[in-house]
Amino acid sequence: MKRLLGGVIAAALVAAALATTTTTAAVAAQATAAQSTAAPATTAPVLSPTPYQGWNTYYGLGGDFTEDSIKSVADSLVSRGLAKAGYDIVWLDGGWQADQSRSAAGDLVPNPAKFPNGLKPLVDYIHGKGLKAGIYTDAGPYIPGKCGLGSGGYYQRDADQFAAWGFDAVKVDYLCGIAADLDPKTVFTEFAQALRNNASGRPMIFNLCNPVTSPDWGNYPESQQSINSWTYAPGIAQSWRTYTDVGFQGDIKFKDVLRNYDANARHPEVVKPGAFSDPDYLAPELGMSDEEFRSQLTLWAVAAAPLVIGSDVRKLSATTVSMLTDPDVLAINQDKAAVQAVRVGAAGTTETWVKRLADGSRAVVLLNRGDSARTLTTTAKAVGLSGARFTLKNAWTNKVTESAGTISAAVPAHGTALFRVSPAVGIPGASHVTAGIPQVTKVGTDVQPEGAAPVVAGGDELTVQVAVRNDGLLPVLKPAVTLAGGTGWTVKSLSTAPMFIASGKQATFGFTVKLPADAAPGTASLTAATSYEAVGYGVQRLTTSLSPVVVAPLPPDGTVTLSHHQWITATSGWMSPAIDESVGGGNPIKLTGTTYPTGIGVASPSLVRYYLGKACTRLSGTVGIDDVVGNVGPDGGTATFQVVGDGKVLFDSGVVDRFSPKPFDVDLTNVRVLDLVVGDAGDGGYNDRADWAAPTATC
């Protein structure tokens, strides 16, 4: 019943968030009314009216940090401009405590080897840099082997100690809490009260961090999971985690960023100034590409999420620092209305998200979850604006254009476009033109489905199209497109350029691209350079690139153990695909007692792609769940397996558990690109260790 009520409230407030007549105060009042059905009577103080920002040790340094390294990070936050941009909390996660974490008197003890001077001088140093300090504990009692430390039974004593040391923020975990089978609402409420009543009267941000989710952590009732925190946390904390960790130390995957964002988006109605949903930390340069991290920062910005950097800021590239400090993106995150973005339209590979801003404008995200670049489109009406003219400011490029109502962008794979959209006034601005991404429509005579990442080989001839659309009020004149490919690629134009593109219309430019026979395997780009004249604004130029085109290695020849052939790409739900071992390494592939000397071990979800070039006729082998799952426990360990040729499913295993491996024998005649796909069978991937045992291709 509670979940149904929350859904009804959420739907009502989504509509309110988009209504141009809804004031900031009204939405805040509605959010307060929504949460009052679940939150306790006590109300957390508004310590950070907009999402707080900072840095945390967990993902970048793990537990290996010292007084000197923390000081060094504080120095870097200041010297690299991150502190000036708002990242001003230096947060110690687990690992600061001594091996015997509590003294005989009952006080928490810092590790003397790491912090020989204690924590107070370190906090003073951080404050001396104009920064704030954060610390970590757990809501449960300390249970060796389950967590590093715990405050259970000592809430007020620990809150007083944190305040006496001078800390400004406290992250309270739930590892020992779940191990002790506690009720999170009860213990977190008690801890919040202790923090508010600390003996020093010191305001301290409370980050409620329950990361427990099912089935990721096993089978737990909803009341103990992070997905339930929204029902009570907004009344007691400044932020609350909404799902499990976004990844592992040093290993953050984009798919898990999307998973956490989606979970975080479930209850926008309870977010308000001073109380924010927390999808976990920002993770640049810990496994994601620059484009993927830009997407994470974009999504966290419109979610009104706390922006806490999890990477070692001393090692971040200048490009990453520039992204983290982008003023237009941060302004959207720090907007005083503190409204969380909602999705407009259906969920899918491509989506639109919108955040209403305090001045009545909208932050609009065009999200491409897919593996190939796409041109994405929405409208001003769909995001809650009315009128005939709209100003679009691209938050990442700073380019300002004008639209008659259409909002579009060429969005890379795993990418986002972020616009600030408002009604236009004054003289007409430069027309909003979207220079399309080069689309490979054919490889030879084989038609390529839209949205598919192209795989090509030496000697192939490609048919490519580039669409240029004009969303402005005025026509654009003399449009022209040139196309460039990889080294030695020959490009020929198939189109005659029109004299102009009228408002609301598009022109398509066609090309053929020939690869040399000796094209080296790897990646290359197709890049379109578009130019046009905007009335009153002169010549404008745009450049768009297709996500890297894969130039495939040679196809298999003869009877081949596929796990020994070079793949194009390979992914695993956690860790990396293992060759001739189960995922994680160290164990041979073994299914119900039978050991296989060859194969591929992965965790779900997974995709392993090979180029066959129509050279093979058969693939055989066995799929199953590796026996090593028994070392973890009886839960989980189910998956689905598919063999897919050029987008067509050739074999589907159905649900496979640890007791039922299945053989497969598939006809590969005329297949260019082969995908081996593993799904989680609906259990979230818990304890999935999936094997492609003895995969043998006849070519």
Side-chain angles (χ1 to χ4, degrees):
M1 182 64 183
K2 185 181 292 182
R3 181 182 294 176
L4 177 61
L5 177 62
V8 172
I9 295 171
L13 289 179
V14 165
L18 297 182
T20 57
T21 57
T22 302
T23 65
T24 301
V27 170
Q30 288 170 311
T32 302
Q35 76 168 41
S36 68
T37 62
T42 56
T43 301
V46 179
L47 302 183
S48 180
T50 59
Y52 59 80
Q53 299 171 246
W55 169 84
N56 182 283
T57 59
Y58 183 72
Y59 286 118
L61 301 185
D64 186 21
F65 56 88
T66 64
E67 177 181 326
D68 289 342
S69 62
I70 296 300
K71 287 181 176 180
S72 177
V73 167
D75 294 344
S76 291
L77 286 171
V78 173
S79 66
R80 307 199 73 183
L82 290 160
K84 185 177 181 180
Y87 299 94
D88 61 358
I89 303 177
V90 180
W91 215 312
L92 280 60
D93 212 285
W96 63 267
Q97 72 279 2
D99 292 339
Q100 185 68 36
S101 60
R102 200 172 291 277
S103 71
D107 292 326
L108 288 171
V109 180
N111 188 307
K114 295 180 178 181
F115 304 99
N117 300 305
L119 291 183
K120 184 65 168 65
L122 175 60
V123 172
D124 290 343
Y125 182 88
I126 292 169
H127 287 163
K129 305 292 290 188
L131 303 169
K132 302 171 186 176
I135 197 166
Y136 166 97
T137 188
D138 193 284
Y142 174 49
I143 304 173
K146 299 293 185 181
C147 57
L149 76 164
S151 289
Y154 297 88
Y155 289 169
Q156 196 61 62
R157 190 183 193 100
D158 290 354
D160 292 346
Q161 188 168 15
F162 294 151
W165 279 335
F167 281 99
D168 307 284
V170 183
K171 172 181 175 179
V172 184
D173 213 334
Y174 188 58
L175 305 182
C176 277
I178 196 66
D181 197 27
L182 301 178
D183 174 61
K185 178 180 178 180
T186 299
V187 296
F188 282 127
T189 301
E190 291 173 358
F191 210 118
Q193 189 69 29
L195 288 173
R196 286 197 296 272
N197 294 338
N198 74 80
S200 303
R202 186 173 187 83
M204 289 185 285
I205 288 172
F206 175 21
N207 172 221
L208 187 159
C209 183
N210 175 6
V212 176
T213 55
S214 293
D216 307 85
W217 285 59
N219 186 23
Y220 292 97
E222 184 172 317
S223 63
Q224 286 189 305
Q225 297 183 51
S226 60
I227 59 173
N228 192 55
S229 297
W230 72 276
T231 64
Y232 60 89
I236 62 173
Q238 282 69 50
S239 67
W240 55 95
R241 278 281 293 277
T242 51
Y243 209 65
T244 192
D245 292 356
V246 77
F248 300 91
Q249 291 179 11
D251 182 20
I252 312 295
K253 292 181 169 62
F254 184 62
K255 69 177 184 61
D256 293 329
V257 164
L258 294 178
R259 175 202 65 194
N260 277 34
Y261 177 76
D262 290 339
N264 192 77
R266 291 172 184 165
H267 293 286
E269 71 274 14
V270 297
V271 172
K272 60 182 180 178
F276 305 102
S277 297
D278 173 19
D280 204 7
Y281 302 144
L282 298 172
E285 301 182 31
L286 292 177
M288 290 187 289
S289 68
D290 285 349
E291 193 66 55
E292 290 170 335
F293 172 65
R294 185 180 290 105
S295 293
Q296 185 193 18
L297 183 52
T298 296
L299 295 172
W300 267 227
V302 298
L307 301 182
V308 178
I309 305 166
S311 313
D312 187 341
V313 298
R314 299 169 298 177
K315 300 177 181 179
L316 295 179
S317 68
T319 297
T320 295
V321 172
S322 178
M323 284 192 276
L324 285 165
T325 58
D326 187 283
D328 291 311
V329 177
L330 292 181
I332 289 169
N333 175 258
Q334 295 293 302
D335 184 77
K336 64 183 180 181
V339 171
Q340 182 173 311
V342 295
R343 191 182 65 243
V344 175
T349 303
T350 61
E351 294 175 345
T352 299
W353 292 80
V354 57
K355 171 184 174 74
R356 184 183 54 76
L357 303 175
D359 64 0
S361 63
R362 302 290 190 269
V364 178
V365 176
L366 302 176
L367 168 63
N368 181 6
R369 298 169 181 260
D371 295 331
S372 63
R374 303 284 292 274
T375 297
L376 307 186
T377 301
T378 188
T379 65
K381 181 179 180 180
V383 302
L385 295 174
S386 60
R389 301 168 51 205
F390 302 91
T391 297
L392 277 57
K393 182 175 184 180
N394 188 313
W396 284 112
T397 68
N398 299 322
K399 188 175 181 66
V400 179
T401 55
E402 184 171 307
S403 169
T406 298
I407 304 165
S408 63
V411 184
H414 298 181
T416 52
L418 175 60
F419 294 101
R420 190 171 188 133
V421 184
S422 57
V425 295
I427 63 173
S431 290
H432 183 69
V433 172
T434 300
I437 296 160
Q439 295 290 327
V440 178
T441 59
K442 289 184 180 180
V443 178
T445 59
D446 295 328
V447 175
Q448 298 295 291
E450 184 181 1
V455 176
V456 302
D460 280 346
E461 183 172 86
L462 318 180
T463 303
V464 181
Q465 291 183 345
V466 180
V468 180
R469 56 180 296 149
N470 175 19
D471 296 322
L473 286 170
L474 302 177
V476 296
L477 312 177
K478 300 179 182 179
V481 177
T482 59
L483 187 70
T487 302
W489 295 20
T490 303
V491 178
K492 180 181 178 182
S493 176
L494 301 176
S495 303
T496 300
M499 293 299 296
F500 65 91
I501 304 175
S503 172
K505 302 297 183 181
Q506 74 174 31
T508 300
F509 297 78
F511 303 87
T512 59
V513 179
K514 180 74 173 180
L515 276 68
D518 60 351
T523 59
S525 291
L526 286 170
T527 301
T530 301
S531 65
Y532 56 92
E533 290 185 13
V535 177
Y537 292 89
V539 176
Q540 306 287 309
R541 291 181 173 84
L542 300 170
T543 301
T544 51
S545 296
L546 182 63
S547 301
V549 178
V550 175
V551 182
L554 293 174
D557 185 17
T559 301
V560 175
T561 298
L562 200 59
S563 58
H564 296 171
H565 186 70
Q566 183 180 350
W567 55 48
I568 293 171
T569 186
T571 63
S572 178
W574 54 272
M575 299 192 75
S576 299
I579 297 175
D580 300 341
E581 294 181 330
S582 64
V583 67
N587 293 286
I589 289 176
K590 193 174 184 180
L591 304 175
T592 58
T594 300
T595 299
Y596 296 80
T598 63
I600 307 167
V602 297
S604 70
S606 167
L607 184 149
V608 182
R609 175 168 291 168
Y610 293 95
Y611 177 68
L612 304 185
K614 302 184 180 181
C616 301
T617 58
R618 183 180 176 222
L619 177 69
S620 61
T622 301
V623 296
I625 302 299
D626 199 277
D627 289 358
V628 76
V629 298
N631 298 337
V632 177
D635 297 326
T638 60
T640 58
F641 298 79
Q642 289 184 327
V643 177
V644 181
D646 297 328
K648 181 180 179 181
V649 177
L650 307 176
F651 165 77
D652 189 329
S653 69
V655 176
V656 175
D657 61 26
R658 65 186 71 194
F659 308 110
S660 59
K662 294 185 178 181
F664 63 91
D665 196 328
V666 179
D667 183 356
L668 297 181
T669 303
N670 289 324
V671 171
R672 288 187 71 254
V673 178
L674 176 72
D675 291 335
L676 305 181
V677 182
V678 176
D680 66 11
D683 67 1
Y686 180 70
N687 204 12
D688 284 357
R689 297 166 188 251
D691 292 336
W692 296 91
T696 304
T698 303
C699 306

